[in-house]
Amino acid sequence: ETGVTQSPTHLIKTRGQQVTLRCSSQSGHNTVSWYQQALGQGPQFIFQYYREEENGRGNFPPRFSGLQFPNYSSELNVNALELDDSALYLCASSLVSFPRSDGYTFGSGTRLTVV
Amino acid sequence: SQQGEEDPQALSIQEGENATMNCSYKTSINNLQWYRQNSGRGLVHLILIRSNEREKHSGRLRVTLDTSKKSSSLLITASRAADTASYFCATDYSGNTPLVFGKGTRLSVIA
């Protein structure tokens, strides 16, 4: 299977609820990164997983958490949703290499709306 | 925080013209990448240029990198209406660090 698949594509949640977003990485990739993109802004890095371990985190509170599974699929969990969490959530997979020779492969994203 | 800053924020050109977008960044990098995003969708990787490279081509795309000025440019030649999208530069510090994206340039190509 090629490409990165994200589910669901759209989601509406109420403030205070919890949400889980899912991502299936591109075959052969061992790293997954999650980004939040507010309307009209660039993607903001949330965290990155390499071989099931978190190996980098952006400026996001602990209520944003994640998992990477042995098959390199991944989840992003957000607790206690706030209105400002409304955004496009992007998952990207990549293959760690030194030096890097390829870019990230992004999924189409999950559009989360918090009301 | 955003590492790269694209300029201009928005660009509108006629089909057939060339489009140039610039990106400036703040600290030393391992490589710089350009991505394209159609409205509200995922990003598509266009091109990667390493810190020891000065210019790279891919089809109608030409990317330059000036590490002394900490800047890069993306040139799209003979633009088409289908090139209408947002374009982002992303910097990579070490090859194993997360990409840091700028705010993007919104390109509109008018047929």
Side-chain angles (χ1 to χ4, degrees):
Chain A
E1 182 181 345
T2 60
V4 175
T5 305
Q6 291 188 244
S7 62
T9 54
H10 296 83
L11 200 54
I12 299 175
K13 287 286 190 179
T14 303
R15 188 171 47 184
Q17 284 188 315
Q18 178 267 341
V19 69
T20 297
L21 309 182
R22 294 180 173 81
C23 170
S24 294
S25 299
Q26 177 162 320
S27 177
H29 285 183
N30 53 18
T31 301
V32 64
S33 306
W34 285 90
Y35 287 82
Q36 180 195 66
Q37 186 179 22
L39 203 59
Q41 300 294 313
Q44 293 277 355
F45 173 68
I46 303 175
F47 45 59
Q48 177 176 287
Y49 281 80
Y50 171 66
R51 293 183 176 177
E52 303 175 56
E53 297 282 337
E54 185 182 296
N55 75 334
R57 189 177 182 92
N59 189 27
F60 281 80
R63 60 190 185 83
F64 284 78
S65 63
L67 284 172
Q68 186 185 29
F69 300 102
N71 64 357
Y72 299 129
S73 64
S74 176
E75 286 183 355
L76 163 64
N77 300 288
V78 187
N79 294 322
L81 283 167
E82 301 176 359
L83 297 180
D84 286 348
D85 295 334
S86 295
L88 181 68
Y89 287 84
L90 295 162
C91 168
S93 71
S94 61
L95 181 63
V96 172
S97 63
F98 302 93
R100 187 186 294 281
S101 57
D102 295 309
Y104 286 11
T105 301
F106 278 84
S108 297
T110 293
R111 173 72 62 186
L112 173 66
T113 303
V114 182
V115 298
Chain B
S1 63
Q2 314 276 172
Q3 154 77 315
E5 291 289 338
E6 290 91 341
D7 172 61
Q9 290 186 333
L11 179 62
S12 184
I13 60 174
Q14 296 289 326
E15 204 167 31
E17 293 181 336
N18 295 340
T20 300
M21 289 158 269
N22 303 297
C23 170
S24 59
Y25 56 92
K26 298 175 183 174
T27 60
S28 296
I29 58 172
N30 176 270
N31 66 77
L32 184 143
Q33 303 176 31
W34 285 91
Y35 287 80
R36 164 195 169 124
Q37 184 179 39
N38 287 356
S39 178
R41 297 185 181 179
L43 284 78
V44 175
H45 177 249
L46 297 176
I47 199 164
L48 179 153
I49 186 166
R50 295 202 179 106
S51 58
N52 61 353
E53 297 175 313
R54 292 295 166 259
E55 187 171 314
K56 208 162 181 180
H57 297 254
S58 177
R60 294 186 293 115
L61 305 180
R62 173 180 169 249
V63 168
T64 61
L65 180 64
D66 187 335
T67 53
S68 67
K69 295 181 179 178
K70 292 186 171 59
S71 67
S72 173
S73 67
L74 170 67
L75 169 67
I76 304 174
T77 60
S79 63
R80 306 165 182 168
D83 294 329
T84 295
S86 291
Y87 292 83
F88 295 89
C89 70
T91 49
D92 184 356
Y93 296 110
S94 72
N96 187 29
T97 48
L99 293 183
V100 180
F101 287 82
K103 294 183 179 181
T105 293
R106 293 185 305 281
L107 173 65
S108 297
V109 181
I110 302 165

